[in-house]
Amino acid sequence: MRGGNRKGSGRKSLLECEKRKNKNIYITDALYESIQQIEFDEVLSFSQKCVELIQEGINSLSQKEDFINGFGKDESENNSKLTFIDLFAGIGGIRKGFEDANTMCVFSSEWDKYAAATYKANYGEVPYGDITKISEKDIPDHDVLLAGFPCQPFSNIGKREGFLHETQGNLFFDILRILKEKKPRMFLLENVKGLLTNDSGKTFEIITDSLNQLNY
């Protein structure tokens, strides 16, 4: 038992700071009813409920303050790093060659579920899905854009349909809209054998002209 400190009472003495104090507070009828409707395990009285709610509120505010302080610290550390996004990420091959202690990935995208599962195993994060369904405004600001945009339509090992490929050929233009919106300091795009000669060189010309129009 806990409580009084009468000599020989058999009760454990409480420190002064542990003793409960009688304090008056004033609340509305609506707040009183709201508190009464809340259920806690082994808490029956209104007074006990108030104590539990106050303690939970204090804990919540403390956690929020710790988060803000920690976030600020992380932000300060992260500001010194070069940030990048990893588009058409596959299993993370380009990221593997780019990421180090001085860089930080802030966004990745890969539509193939099997590649995404491998990416998660490699980097501990699940890439966002189909980039064509993601607004460029929703992508975080970044210093470097990395993109391994599907090479099959342009490669010698594919049918070489280029931009005419119904689903993969036009994905380069998703890169363009992101570059136009976010304006990163630099970018790195995947190259494949056959890109320079696809459609008698017109494919590469469109790519370079489009990038030049964005002042890259």
Side-chain angles (χ1 to χ4, degrees):
M1 296 179 65
R2 297 172 62 86
N5 55 10
R6 179 172 56 84
K7 184 176 181 180
S9 65
R11 297 179 178 180
K12 181 179 178 181
S13 298
L14 293 175
L15 298 175
E16 190 64 30
C17 62
E18 293 180 306
K19 294 180 181 179
R20 298 197 175 191
K21 308 288 192 302
N22 183 21
K23 301 293 182 182
N24 295 326
I25 62 171
Y26 300 92
I27 61 175
T28 64
D29 289 340
L31 181 56
Y32 174 82
E33 292 299 329
S34 297
I35 295 173
Q36 286 288 59
Q37 292 174 16
I38 297 175
E39 295 183 0
F40 292 100
D41 293 338
E42 301 180 1
V43 175
L44 300 178
S45 72
F46 177 79
S47 177
Q48 288 175 317
K49 290 181 179 181
C50 288
V51 171
E52 290 291 331
L53 288 171
I54 291 171
Q55 188 60 61
E56 286 195 9
I58 292 173
N59 292 341
S60 178
L61 288 173
S62 178
Q63 291 173 3
K64 181 178 180 181
E65 183 176 353
D66 289 344
F67 172 78
I68 292 174
N69 291 337
F71 181 77
K73 181 179 179 181
D74 290 342
E75 282 295 290
S76 177
E77 293 175 353
N78 291 338
N79 284 339
S80 64
K81 293 187 176 183
L82 197 69
T83 58
F84 67 91
I85 63 172
D86 193 13
L87 305 180
F88 312 103
I91 63 173
I94 294 180
R95 175 171 175 170
K96 184 69 174 178
F98 189 83
E99 189 172 47
D100 61 18
N102 301 309
T103 64
M104 180 178 65
C105 183
V106 295
F107 177 86
S108 59
S109 172
E110 170 55 47
W111 73 276
D112 183 88
K113 63 179 181 180
Y114 299 108
T118 304
Y119 194 97
K120 179 184 178 183
N122 288 337
Y123 299 101
E125 64 185 63
V126 179
Y128 288 86
D130 188 350
I131 195 63
T132 65
K133 295 179 171 59
I134 299 174
S135 170
E136 58 273 19
K137 297 183 182 298
D138 294 332
I139 295 176
D141 292 338
H142 51 278
D143 298 308
V144 186
L145 179 148
L146 305 179
F149 68 103
C151 58
Q152 293 91 334
F154 310 103
S155 173
N156 285 342
I157 64 173
K159 295 182 179 180
R160 312 209 66 193
E161 295 170 272
F163 291 128
L164 296 178
H165 192 286
E166 185 175 354
T167 57
Q168 294 179 316
N170 59 2
L171 292 174
F172 168 72
F173 299 104
D174 287 291
I175 296 173
L176 284 182
R177 65 180 174 85
I178 296 170
L179 287 173
K180 182 177 180 180
E181 172 67 25
K182 309 309 294 189
K183 296 179 175 59
R185 293 160 59 183
M186 63 193 86
F187 62 86
L188 173 67
L189 307 183
E190 181 183 19
N191 187 16
V192 293
K193 188 175 182 179
L195 181 63
L196 293 176
T197 58
N198 184 268
D199 194 16
S200 301
K202 293 181 180 178
T203 295
F204 189 69
E205 184 179 344
I206 291 174
I207 290 175
T208 54
D209 286 348
S210 298
L211 294 172
N212 286 333
Q213 288 178 21
L214 296 179
N215 295 321
Y216 280 107

